[in-house]
Amino acid sequence: MRHLLLSRLLLSRGSSPTAHHHLPLLRALSSAPSPVSSDADLRKYAGYALLLLGCGAATYYSFPFPADALHKKAVPFKYAPLPEDLHAVSNWSATHEVHTRVLLQPDSLPALEDALATAHKERRKLRPLGSGLSPNGLALSRAGMVSLALMDKVLDVDVKKKTVTVQAGIRVAELVDALREHGLTLQNFASIREQQVGGFIQVGAHGTGARLPPVDEQVISMKLVTPAKGTIELSKEKDPELFYLSRCGLGGLGVVAEVTLQCVERHQLVEHTFVSNADEVRKNHKKWLSENKHIKYLWIPYTDAVVVVQCNPPSKWRTPKLTSKYGKDEALQHVRNLYRESLKRYRTETESNDPEIDTLSFTELRDKLLALDPLDKDHVMKVNKAEAEYWKKSEGYRMGWSDEILGFDCGGQQWVSENCFPTGTVAKPSMKDLDYIEKLLQLIEKEDIPAPAPIEQRWTAHSKSPMSPASSSKEDDVFSWVGIIMYLPTSDARQRKEITEEFFNYRSLAQSLWDDYSAYEHWAKIEVPKDKDELAELRARLRKRFPVDAYNKARMELDPNKVLSNAKLEKLFPVLEPVHQAKQRVC
């Protein structure tokens, strides 16, 4: 019936633009010369043409594109149903995604060894996935991945030595829970707790504290399962050179199956949060860096506000008032009011009266505010000023266990770039860390970048792992880590694409400072350039800082068939195959 109605519509004078587009074809058919021409023939051929057009139109209207199809046309086959055996794997912010038919989850060391040996024999990819959280999708591979999510057991706790041995698939949060009953915890933490321990140590993850190293320094020993050499046990005593290289090995030397970590006694911290300004920070920076066990700065672009967060054992504080001057609702009120005012301007007054607004956390409110106009600098400035007010009314102290205090709500989906650079020692800070921030904020304002808050700045001691961005042979070296961010508070593909383009413009701006400060990106956040010249320049930079030849030599010894590699690793650390090996492949 629907086909018949559409055919009649196409024949009528008031037919759709699609029908008018095909009228010349109908005229051509009706006027084409033929040895045998009659009204019956013309009607027959015209009927065939109309039937074909009607079926096409019926198909189009029966299976319409989604309303935002034009926004999403750059993602081919996105809406086609996935085969049952095809796994879609993305990082947390959905900025990187792959589809693969090979996603193995071994539940034991022998099963992992067998999987890698088979992949090596068949020359198949099997990239270690971890939790897949890396902002740059470092662990993703369309050709195949292996997850240790089922290898998540605590194997041994030595309370006397304060060590723990675990399977590498255990998540940081689960490990901390398991250590609690033994009175132990990890020395330091990153912002979140969802990483698998294997991935946590492989990418140079870190917390903050000028005397506390990145997390790879907590590794005492490990079992590394390699495609070509099987399982290798590594420690400072057993093959120390490979041990240090593998602690921050980016998953390219082997799959970390088991790891022994140095722990510390479970302890409480007092967190002091207050808002300062650039002048006060510069005046007190040396003292704060030296006196505080953990410290970080949250710089808020387009304001003079710097949120300072200091964490120390309770004994360091005499009688801190463990309450804030304002209540939680009072701290959020200014942000809520801005959101309601913005809704009236961008949407409707009805939405601004939604009682749900009063139930949202600060980061949820910030996401919703930014979603209204994420790339309008003036709007972002208002949001940043509201954030500064929020922190001013959140000043105060709180006490809790270290694993609770050192976490940080990073907000919703986002693009992020973080770099690491030396900044002197605790005794003699170079102040380059503050110089860097000052120049970055000036560039943001000069170029009108819609930069949201915060620009997060943290510090660590050095690492002995040569592939760590904080690698140094000097015991007292301090490194500053600076992260810039742009949130993706929308599911609209066109808007996400525009935010992505603006973020890379922002990142390029920051990158103009890197050479002057010997700054190198966090391995989980480095993005591979598409431009060949930029890629060649990046490779040259990496060679200046890291032992690329030694790393590649180890890769070829442990994984000659590049089972553990992916496109990102190959582009950052290209390896030229030996001539005889290339000939064998051809044969």
mmCIF file of all heavy atoms in Angstrom, residues 59-105:
data_model
loop_
_atom_site.group_PDB
_atom_site.id
_atom_site.type_symbol
_atom_site.label_atom_id
_atom_site.label_comp_id
_atom_site.label_asym_id
_atom_site.label_seq_id
_atom_site.Cartn_x
_atom_site.Cartn_y
_atom_site.Cartn_z
ATOM 1 N N THR A 59 12.183 2.637 0.607
ATOM 2 C CA THR A 59 13.324 2.190 1.421
ATOM 3 C C THR A 59 13.893 3.351 2.216
ATOM 4 O O THR A 59 14.210 3.233 3.404
ATOM 5 C CB THR A 59 14.418 1.593 0.514
ATOM 6 O OG1 THR A 59 13.863 0.493 -0.215
ATOM 7 C CG2 THR A 59 15.608 1.100 1.352
ATOM 8 N N TYR A 60 14.042 4.507 1.548
ATOM 9 C CA TYR A 60 14.614 5.689 2.215
ATOM 10 C C TYR A 60 13.775 6.105 3.419
ATOM 11 O O TYR A 60 14.291 6.343 4.508
ATOM 12 C CB TYR A 60 14.697 6.845 1.228
ATOM 13 C CG TYR A 60 15.233 8.117 1.839
ATOM 14 C CD1 TYR A 60 16.606 8.329 1.960
ATOM 15 C CD2 TYR A 60 14.366 9.107 2.313
ATOM 16 C CE1 TYR A 60 17.109 9.476 2.532
ATOM 17 C CE2 TYR A 60 14.859 10.267 2.899
ATOM 18 C CZ TYR A 60 16.237 10.448 2.991
ATOM 19 O OH TYR A 60 16.723 11.588 3.567
ATOM 20 N N TYR A 61 12.455 6.175 3.224
ATOM 21 C CA TYR A 61 11.591 6.649 4.309
ATOM 22 C C TYR A 61 11.332 5.571 5.356
ATOM 23 O O TYR A 61 10.937 5.873 6.477
ATOM 24 C CB TYR A 61 10.266 7.169 3.744
ATOM 25 C CG TYR A 61 10.433 8.489 3.039
ATOM 26 C CD1 TYR A 61 10.397 8.580 1.653
ATOM 27 C CD2 TYR A 61 10.680 9.651 3.781
ATOM 28 C CE1 TYR A 61 10.583 9.781 1.013
ATOM 29 C CE2 TYR A 61 10.868 10.872 3.140
ATOM 30 C CZ TYR A 61 10.827 10.939 1.758
ATOM 31 O OH TYR A 61 11.023 12.136 1.131
ATOM 32 N N SER A 62 11.549 4.318 5.008
ATOM 33 C CA SER A 62 11.371 3.257 5.986
ATOM 34 C C SER A 62 12.569 3.126 6.908
ATOM 35 O O SER A 62 12.460 2.710 8.039
ATOM 36 C CB SER A 62 11.151 1.903 5.282
ATOM 37 O OG SER A 62 9.974 1.945 4.522
ATOM 38 N N PHE A 63 13.761 3.505 6.378
ATOM 39 C CA PHE A 63 14.989 3.405 7.167
ATOM 40 C C PHE A 63 15.710 4.745 7.151
ATOM 41 O O PHE A 63 16.735 4.908 6.510
ATOM 42 C CB PHE A 63 15.910 2.313 6.602
ATOM 43 C CG PHE A 63 15.255 0.963 6.537
ATOM 44 C CD1 PHE A 63 14.677 0.500 5.362
ATOM 45 C CD2 PHE A 63 15.202 0.167 7.666
ATOM 46 C CE1 PHE A 63 14.082 -0.741 5.320
ATOM 47 C CE2 PHE A 63 14.605 -1.078 7.626
ATOM 48 C CZ PHE A 63 14.036 -1.539 6.452
ATOM 49 N N PRO A 64 15.173 5.742 7.819
ATOM 50 C CA PRO A 64 15.769 7.082 7.767
ATOM 51 C C PRO A 64 17.084 7.148 8.541
ATOM 52 O O PRO A 64 17.313 6.379 9.453
ATOM 53 C CB PRO A 64 14.714 7.964 8.450
ATOM 54 C CG PRO A 64 14.039 7.023 9.395
ATOM 55 C CD PRO A 64 14.002 5.696 8.697
ATOM 56 N N PHE A 65 17.931 8.109 8.147
ATOM 57 C CA PHE A 65 19.133 8.398 8.924
ATOM 58 C C PHE A 65 18.709 9.031 10.239
ATOM 59 O O PHE A 65 17.652 9.640 10.325
ATOM 60 C CB PHE A 65 20.031 9.390 8.174
ATOM 61 C CG PHE A 65 20.722 8.780 6.998
ATOM 62 C CD1 PHE A 65 20.339 9.092 5.706
ATOM 63 C CD2 PHE A 65 21.768 7.890 7.188
ATOM 64 C CE1 PHE A 65 20.988 8.538 4.625
ATOM 65 C CE2 PHE A 65 22.425 7.339 6.105
ATOM 66 C CZ PHE A 65 22.026 7.658 4.818
ATOM 67 N N PRO A 66 19.542 8.908 11.268
ATOM 68 C CA PRO A 66 19.228 9.628 12.513
ATOM 69 C C PRO A 66 19.218 11.119 12.270
ATOM 70 O O PRO A 66 19.800 11.612 11.299
ATOM 71 C CB PRO A 66 20.372 9.219 13.456
ATOM 72 C CG PRO A 66 21.435 8.668 12.577
ATOM 73 C CD PRO A 66 20.756 8.123 11.365
ATOM 74 N N ALA A 67 18.556 11.846 13.175
ATOM 75 C CA ALA A 67 18.380 13.288 12.985
ATOM 76 C C ALA A 67 19.694 14.024 12.839
ATOM 77 O O ALA A 67 19.784 15.035 12.149
ATOM 78 C CB ALA A 67 17.589 13.855 14.167
ATOM 79 N N ASP A 68 20.759 13.511 13.497
ATOM 80 C CA ASP A 68 22.042 14.198 13.435
ATOM 81 C C ASP A 68 23.012 13.483 12.495
ATOM 82 O O ASP A 68 24.219 13.525 12.681
ATOM 83 C CB ASP A 68 22.662 14.327 14.827
ATOM 84 C CG ASP A 68 22.785 12.965 15.503
ATOM 85 O OD1 ASP A 68 22.297 11.965 14.922
ATOM 86 O OD2 ASP A 68 23.382 12.903 16.587
ATOM 87 N N ALA A 69 22.466 12.812 11.482
ATOM 88 C CA ALA A 69 23.326 12.026 10.591
ATOM 89 C C ALA A 69 24.388 12.873 9.924
ATOM 90 O O ALA A 69 25.509 12.433 9.727
ATOM 91 C CB ALA A 69 22.474 11.335 9.529
ATOM 92 N N LEU A 70 24.046 14.110 9.559
ATOM 93 C CA LEU A 70 25.028 14.966 8.906
ATOM 94 C C LEU A 70 26.212 15.235 9.821
ATOM 95 O O LEU A 70 27.337 15.401 9.365
ATOM 96 C CB LEU A 70 24.380 16.291 8.480
ATOM 97 C CG LEU A 70 23.364 16.196 7.343
ATOM 98 C CD1 LEU A 70 22.762 17.567 7.086
ATOM 99 C CD2 LEU A 70 24.013 15.662 6.073
ATOM 100 N N HIS A 71 25.959 15.291 11.123
ATOM 101 C CA HIS A 71 27.038 15.539 12.080
ATOM 102 C C HIS A 71 27.950 14.324 12.190
ATOM 103 O O HIS A 71 29.098 14.443 12.561
ATOM 104 C CB HIS A 71 26.460 15.829 13.463
ATOM 105 C CG HIS A 71 25.564 17.019 13.475
ATOM 106 N ND1 HIS A 71 24.833 17.371 14.588
ATOM 107 C CD2 HIS A 71 25.260 17.927 12.520
ATOM 108 C CE1 HIS A 71 24.115 18.456 14.312
ATOM 109 N NE2 HIS A 71 24.358 18.794 13.080
ATOM 110 N N LYS A 72 27.397 13.130 11.879
ATOM 111 C CA LYS A 72 28.120 11.908 12.158
ATOM 112 C C LYS A 72 28.591 11.191 10.894
ATOM 113 O O LYS A 72 29.108 10.093 10.955
ATOM 114 C CB LYS A 72 27.238 10.966 12.980
ATOM 115 C CG LYS A 72 26.833 11.583 14.326
ATOM 116 C CD LYS A 72 25.980 10.642 15.131
ATOM 117 C CE LYS A 72 25.632 11.263 16.481
ATOM 118 N NZ LYS A 72 24.803 10.418 17.308
ATOM 119 N N LYS A 73 28.465 11.833 9.754
ATOM 120 C CA LYS A 73 28.782 11.158 8.507
ATOM 121 C C LYS A 73 30.263 10.827 8.396
ATOM 122 O O LYS A 73 30.662 9.969 7.622
ATOM 123 C CB LYS A 73 28.345 12.012 7.327
ATOM 124 C CG LYS A 73 29.066 13.351 7.223
ATOM 125 C CD LYS A 73 28.462 14.244 6.146
ATOM 126 C CE LYS A 73 28.660 13.672 4.771
ATOM 127 N NZ LYS A 73 28.190 14.590 3.727
ATOM 128 N N ALA A 74 31.092 11.483 9.210
ATOM 129 C CA ALA A 74 32.526 11.214 9.153
ATOM 130 C C ALA A 74 32.876 9.889 9.824
ATOM 131 O O ALA A 74 34.001 9.434 9.761
ATOM 132 C CB ALA A 74 33.307 12.337 9.819
ATOM 133 N N VAL A 75 31.928 9.256 10.493
ATOM 134 C CA VAL A 75 32.182 7.980 11.155
ATOM 135 C C VAL A 75 31.464 6.890 10.369
ATOM 136 O O VAL A 75 30.308 6.595 10.624
ATOM 137 C CB VAL A 75 31.676 7.996 12.611
ATOM 138 C CG1 VAL A 75 32.117 6.739 13.342
ATOM 139 C CG2 VAL A 75 32.164 9.236 13.333
ATOM 140 N N PRO A 76 32.113 6.296 9.367
ATOM 141 C CA PRO A 76 31.424 5.337 8.510
ATOM 142 C C PRO A 76 30.981 4.098 9.268
ATOM 143 O O PRO A 76 31.688 3.606 10.147
ATOM 144 C CB PRO A 76 32.490 4.996 7.462
ATOM 145 C CG PRO A 76 33.790 5.288 8.124
ATOM 146 C CD PRO A 76 33.519 6.443 9.025
ATOM 147 N N PHE A 77 29.796 3.604 8.917
ATOM 148 C CA PHE A 77 29.236 2.376 9.454
ATOM 149 C C PHE A 77 29.035 2.415 10.967
ATOM 150 O O PHE A 77 28.867 1.391 11.604
ATOM 151 C CB PHE A 77 30.131 1.179 9.098
ATOM 152 C CG PHE A 77 30.491 1.117 7.647
ATOM 153 C CD1 PHE A 77 31.801 1.279 7.254
ATOM 154 C CD2 PHE A 77 29.521 0.938 6.670
ATOM 155 C CE1 PHE A 77 32.153 1.236 5.907
ATOM 156 C CE2 PHE A 77 29.859 0.896 5.338
ATOM 157 C CZ PHE A 77 31.178 1.050 4.948
ATOM 158 N N LYS A 78 29.037 3.598 11.541
ATOM 159 C CA LYS A 78 28.892 3.720 12.994
ATOM 160 C C LYS A 78 27.584 3.103 13.475
ATOM 161 O O LYS A 78 27.521 2.535 14.554
ATOM 162 C CB LYS A 78 28.950 5.199 13.376
ATOM 163 C CG LYS A 78 28.832 5.472 14.867
ATOM 164 C CD LYS A 78 30.104 5.130 15.578
ATOM 165 C CE LYS A 78 30.028 5.535 17.036
ATOM 166 N NZ LYS A 78 31.229 5.176 17.763
ATOM 167 N N TYR A 79 26.561 3.210 12.653
ATOM 168 C CA TYR A 79 25.241 2.790 13.104
ATOM 169 C C TYR A 79 24.843 1.409 12.588
ATOM 170 O O TYR A 79 23.769 0.934 12.859
ATOM 171 C CB TYR A 79 24.201 3.846 12.707
ATOM 172 C CG TYR A 79 24.543 5.149 13.357
ATOM 173 C CD1 TYR A 79 25.230 6.133 12.643
ATOM 174 C CD2 TYR A 79 24.291 5.373 14.699
ATOM 175 C CE1 TYR A 79 25.622 7.305 13.255
ATOM 176 C CE2 TYR A 79 24.679 6.550 15.312
ATOM 177 C CZ TYR A 79 25.333 7.505 14.584
ATOM 178 O OH TYR A 79 25.726 8.666 15.194
ATOM 179 N N ALA A 80 25.765 0.776 11.857
ATOM 180 C CA ALA A 80 25.495 -0.591 11.440
ATOM 181 C C ALA A 80 25.620 -1.498 12.660
ATOM 182 O O ALA A 80 26.507 -1.313 13.478
ATOM 183 C CB ALA A 80 26.484 -1.017 10.364
ATOM 184 N N PRO A 81 24.732 -2.470 12.811
ATOM 185 C CA PRO A 81 24.830 -3.362 13.970
ATOM 186 C C PRO A 81 26.133 -4.155 13.912
ATOM 187 O O PRO A 81 26.556 -4.609 12.855
ATOM 188 C CB PRO A 81 23.600 -4.260 13.826
ATOM 189 C CG PRO A 81 23.224 -4.180 12.384
ATOM 190 C CD PRO A 81 23.597 -2.801 11.935
ATOM 191 N N LEU A 82 26.764 -4.316 15.068
ATOM 192 C CA LEU A 82 28.035 -5.036 15.123
ATOM 193 C C LEU A 82 27.780 -6.540 15.140
ATOM 194 O O LEU A 82 26.840 -7.001 15.782
ATOM 195 C CB LEU A 82 28.807 -4.644 16.380
ATOM 196 C CG LEU A 82 29.286 -3.200 16.475
ATOM 197 C CD1 LEU A 82 29.938 -2.977 17.840
ATOM 198 C CD2 LEU A 82 30.264 -2.872 15.369
ATOM 199 N N PRO A 83 28.597 -7.310 14.436
ATOM 200 C CA PRO A 83 28.492 -8.768 14.553
ATOM 201 C C PRO A 83 28.710 -9.189 16.005
ATOM 202 O O PRO A 83 29.391 -8.499 16.763
ATOM 203 C CB PRO A 83 29.640 -9.266 13.661
ATOM 204 C CG PRO A 83 29.948 -8.137 12.734
ATOM 205 C CD PRO A 83 29.643 -6.886 13.493
ATOM 206 N N GLU A 84 28.132 -10.322 16.379
ATOM 207 C CA GLU A 84 28.203 -10.766 17.766
ATOM 208 C C GLU A 84 29.628 -10.990 18.239
ATOM 209 O O GLU A 84 29.933 -10.865 19.421
ATOM 210 C CB GLU A 84 27.381 -12.052 17.949
ATOM 211 C CG GLU A 84 25.872 -11.817 17.854
ATOM 212 C CD GLU A 84 25.089 -13.081 18.126
ATOM 213 O OE1 GLU A 84 25.713 -14.097 18.492
ATOM 214 O OE2 GLU A 84 23.858 -13.056 17.989
ATOM 215 N N ASP A 85 30.534 -11.369 17.317
ATOM 216 C CA ASP A 85 31.903 -11.666 17.718
ATOM 217 C C ASP A 85 32.830 -10.452 17.619
ATOM 218 O O ASP A 85 34.042 -10.571 17.784
ATOM 219 C CB ASP A 85 32.477 -12.807 16.869
ATOM 220 C CG ASP A 85 32.586 -12.428 15.393
ATOM 221 O OD1 ASP A 85 31.869 -11.479 14.974
ATOM 222 O OD2 ASP A 85 33.379 -13.056 14.681
ATOM 223 N N LEU A 86 32.274 -9.274 17.372
ATOM 224 C CA LEU A 86 33.089 -8.066 17.238
ATOM 225 C C LEU A 86 32.974 -7.239 18.517
ATOM 226 O O LEU A 86 31.885 -6.849 18.918
ATOM 227 C CB LEU A 86 32.624 -7.242 16.034
ATOM 228 C CG LEU A 86 33.588 -6.147 15.553
ATOM 229 C CD1 LEU A 86 34.901 -6.756 15.095
ATOM 230 C CD2 LEU A 86 32.954 -5.356 14.417
ATOM 231 N N HIS A 87 34.103 -6.983 19.155
ATOM 232 C CA HIS A 87 34.124 -6.234 20.409
ATOM 233 C C HIS A 87 34.447 -4.770 20.126
ATOM 234 O O HIS A 87 35.406 -4.471 19.418
ATOM 235 C CB HIS A 87 35.177 -6.798 21.359
ATOM 236 C CG HIS A 87 35.058 -8.273 21.587
ATOM 237 N ND1 HIS A 87 34.176 -8.810 22.496
ATOM 238 C CD2 HIS A 87 35.702 -9.320 21.013
ATOM 239 C CE1 HIS A 87 34.300 -10.124 22.485
ATOM 240 N NE2 HIS A 87 35.207 -10.462 21.600
ATOM 241 N N ALA A 88 33.650 -3.866 20.677
ATOM 242 C CA ALA A 88 33.943 -2.431 20.591
ATOM 243 C C ALA A 88 34.625 -2.021 21.889
ATOM 244 O O ALA A 88 34.056 -2.170 22.969
ATOM 245 C CB ALA A 88 32.655 -1.630 20.393
ATOM 246 N N VAL A 89 35.848 -1.520 21.787
ATOM 247 C CA VAL A 89 36.624 -1.140 22.970
ATOM 248 C C VAL A 89 37.054 0.313 22.826
ATOM 249 O O VAL A 89 37.655 0.697 21.815
ATOM 250 C CB VAL A 89 37.878 -2.030 23.131
ATOM 251 C CG1 VAL A 89 38.621 -1.664 24.415
ATOM 252 C CG2 VAL A 89 37.498 -3.503 23.128
ATOM 253 N N SER A 90 36.717 1.125 23.816
ATOM 254 C CA SER A 90 37.105 2.531 23.768
ATOM 255 C C SER A 90 37.709 2.945 25.104
ATOM 256 O O SER A 90 37.518 2.278 26.115
ATOM 257 C CB SER A 90 35.902 3.430 23.445
ATOM 258 O OG SER A 90 35.006 3.467 24.534
ATOM 259 N N ASN A 91 38.436 4.055 25.080
ATOM 260 C CA ASN A 91 38.934 4.594 26.349
ATOM 261 C C ASN A 91 37.797 5.325 27.061
ATOM 262 O O ASN A 91 36.692 5.462 26.532
ATOM 263 C CB ASN A 91 40.143 5.505 26.117
ATOM 264 C CG ASN A 91 39.811 6.733 25.294
ATOM 265 O OD1 ASN A 91 38.777 6.799 24.629
ATOM 266 N ND2 ASN A 91 40.677 7.722 25.316
ATOM 267 N N TRP A 92 38.068 5.797 28.262
ATOM 268 C CA TRP A 92 37.013 6.336 29.112
ATOM 269 C C TRP A 92 36.294 7.527 28.476
ATOM 270 O O TRP A 92 35.073 7.652 28.566
ATOM 271 C CB TRP A 92 37.619 6.753 30.459
ATOM 272 C CG TRP A 92 36.635 7.402 31.372
ATOM 273 C CD1 TRP A 92 35.523 6.833 31.917
ATOM 274 C CD2 TRP A 92 36.656 8.748 31.850
ATOM 275 N NE1 TRP A 92 34.852 7.740 32.709
ATOM 276 C CE2 TRP A 92 35.532 8.925 32.677
ATOM 277 C CE3 TRP A 92 37.534 9.817 31.658
ATOM 278 C CZ2 TRP A 92 35.266 10.137 33.308
ATOM 279 C CZ3 TRP A 92 37.262 11.008 32.284
ATOM 280 C CH2 TRP A 92 36.137 11.161 33.099
ATOM 281 N N SER A 93 37.016 8.415 27.817
ATOM 282 C CA SER A 93 36.401 9.603 27.231
ATOM 283 C C SER A 93 35.863 9.375 25.830
ATOM 284 O O SER A 93 35.393 10.310 25.185
ATOM 285 C CB SER A 93 37.413 10.759 27.210
ATOM 286 O OG SER A 93 37.636 11.247 28.510
ATOM 287 N N ALA A 94 35.958 8.136 25.333
ATOM 288 C CA ALA A 94 35.475 7.784 23.994
ATOM 289 C C ALA A 94 36.145 8.622 22.908
ATOM 290 O O ALA A 94 35.557 8.872 21.864
ATOM 291 C CB ALA A 94 33.948 7.932 23.921
ATOM 292 N N THR A 95 37.378 9.035 23.147
ATOM 293 C CA THR A 95 38.129 9.773 22.129
ATOM 294 C C THR A 95 38.883 8.829 21.208
ATOM 295 O O THR A 95 39.307 9.221 20.125
ATOM 296 C CB THR A 95 39.125 10.744 22.783
ATOM 297 O OG1 THR A 95 39.943 10.021 23.713
ATOM 298 C CG2 THR A 95 38.397 11.854 23.519
ATOM 299 N N HIS A 96 39.060 7.580 21.646
ATOM 300 C CA HIS A 96 39.712 6.561 20.831
ATOM 301 C C HIS A 96 38.926 5.265 20.980
ATOM 302 O O HIS A 96 38.574 4.872 22.098
ATOM 303 C CB HIS A 96 41.162 6.344 21.272
ATOM 304 C CG HIS A 96 42.040 7.533 21.043
ATOM 305 N ND1 HIS A 96 42.688 7.769 19.846
ATOM 306 C CD2 HIS A 96 42.374 8.565 21.852
ATOM 307 C CE1 HIS A 96 43.387 8.895 19.932
ATOM 308 N NE2 HIS A 96 43.204 9.400 21.141
ATOM 309 N N GLU A 97 38.660 4.609 19.850
ATOM 310 C CA GLU A 97 37.867 3.381 19.875
ATOM 311 C C GLU A 97 38.337 2.446 18.777
ATOM 312 O O GLU A 97 38.734 2.890 17.699
ATOM 313 C CB GLU A 97 36.387 3.709 19.684
ATOM 314 C CG GLU A 97 35.477 2.480 19.703
ATOM 315 C CD GLU A 97 34.005 2.836 19.497
ATOM 316 O OE1 GLU A 97 33.591 2.965 18.327
ATOM 317 O OE2 GLU A 97 33.300 2.977 20.501
ATOM 318 N N VAL A 98 38.314 1.147 19.059
ATOM 319 C CA VAL A 98 38.604 0.146 18.035
ATOM 320 C C VAL A 98 37.560 -0.959 18.109
ATOM 321 O O VAL A 98 36.941 -1.184 19.156
ATOM 322 C CB VAL A 98 40.015 -0.470 18.200
ATOM 323 C CG1 VAL A 98 41.098 0.568 18.005
ATOM 324 C CG2 VAL A 98 40.162 -1.175 19.533
ATOM 325 N N HIS A 99 37.384 -1.641 16.991
ATOM 326 C CA HIS A 99 36.559 -2.835 16.943
ATOM 327 C C HIS A 99 37.483 -4.006 16.641
ATOM 328 O O HIS A 99 38.292 -3.931 15.712
ATOM 329 C CB HIS A 99 35.491 -2.719 15.849
ATOM 330 C CG HIS A 99 34.465 -1.681 16.137
ATOM 331 N ND1 HIS A 99 33.624 -1.173 15.178
ATOM 332 C CD2 HIS A 99 34.141 -1.036 17.291
ATOM 333 C CE1 HIS A 99 32.822 -0.260 15.728
ATOM 334 N NE2 HIS A 99 33.118 -0.168 17.007
ATOM 335 N N THR A 100 37.376 -5.057 17.408
ATOM 336 C CA THR A 100 38.252 -6.209 17.206
ATOM 337 C C THR A 100 37.492 -7.508 17.421
ATOM 338 O O THR A 100 36.547 -7.553 18.206
ATOM 339 C CB THR A 100 39.465 -6.163 18.154
ATOM 340 O OG1 THR A 100 40.305 -7.288 17.884
ATOM 341 C CG2 THR A 100 39.038 -6.216 19.617
ATOM 342 N N ARG A 101 37.908 -8.545 16.708
ATOM 343 C CA ARG A 101 37.336 -9.871 16.928
ATOM 344 C C ARG A 101 38.192 -10.695 17.896
ATOM 345 O O ARG A 101 37.812 -11.784 18.261
ATOM 346 C CB ARG A 101 37.208 -10.608 15.588
ATOM 347 C CG ARG A 101 36.026 -10.136 14.752
ATOM 348 C CD ARG A 101 35.807 -11.006 13.516
ATOM 349 N NE ARG A 101 34.518 -10.745 12.924
ATOM 350 C CZ ARG A 101 34.245 -9.744 12.094
ATOM 351 N NH1 ARG A 101 35.207 -8.898 11.779
ATOM 352 N NH2 ARG A 101 33.033 -9.576 11.601
ATOM 353 N N VAL A 102 39.353 -10.139 18.269
ATOM 354 C CA VAL A 102 40.257 -10.871 19.157
ATOM 355 C C VAL A 102 40.433 -10.101 20.460
ATOM 356 O O VAL A 102 41.142 -9.094 20.500
ATOM 357 C CB VAL A 102 41.629 -11.104 18.489
ATOM 358 C CG1 VAL A 102 42.539 -11.906 19.414
ATOM 359 C CG2 VAL A 102 41.467 -11.817 17.153
ATOM 360 N N LEU A 103 39.767 -10.533 21.507
ATOM 361 C CA LEU A 103 39.925 -9.953 22.835
ATOM 362 C C LEU A 103 39.979 -11.103 23.832
ATOM 363 O O LEU A 103 38.961 -11.631 24.276
ATOM 364 C CB LEU A 103 38.758 -9.009 23.159
ATOM 365 C CG LEU A 103 38.803 -8.338 24.535
ATOM 366 C CD1 LEU A 103 40.097 -7.563 24.736
ATOM 367 C CD2 LEU A 103 37.609 -7.408 24.728
ATOM 368 N N LEU A 104 41.204 -11.522 24.151
ATOM 369 C CA LEU A 104 41.401 -12.670 25.028
ATOM 370 C C LEU A 104 41.445 -12.246 26.489
ATOM 371 O O LEU A 104 41.950 -11.175 26.812
ATOM 372 C CB LEU A 104 42.703 -13.392 24.663
ATOM 373 C CG LEU A 104 42.842 -13.874 23.212
ATOM 374 C CD1 LEU A 104 44.128 -14.670 23.047
ATOM 375 C CD2 LEU A 104 41.636 -14.691 22.776
ATOM 376 N N GLN A 105 40.919 -13.117 27.368
ATOM 377 C CA GLN A 105 40.942 -12.845 28.802
ATOM 378 C C GLN A 105 41.411 -14.099 29.540
ATOM 379 O O GLN A 105 40.600 -14.822 30.115
ATOM 380 C CB GLN A 105 39.561 -12.414 29.295
ATOM 381 C CG GLN A 105 39.088 -11.098 28.707
ATOM 382 C CD GLN A 105 37.851 -10.571 29.416
ATOM 383 O OE1 GLN A 105 37.929 -10.043 30.514
ATOM 384 N NE2 GLN A 105 36.701 -10.736 28.792
#
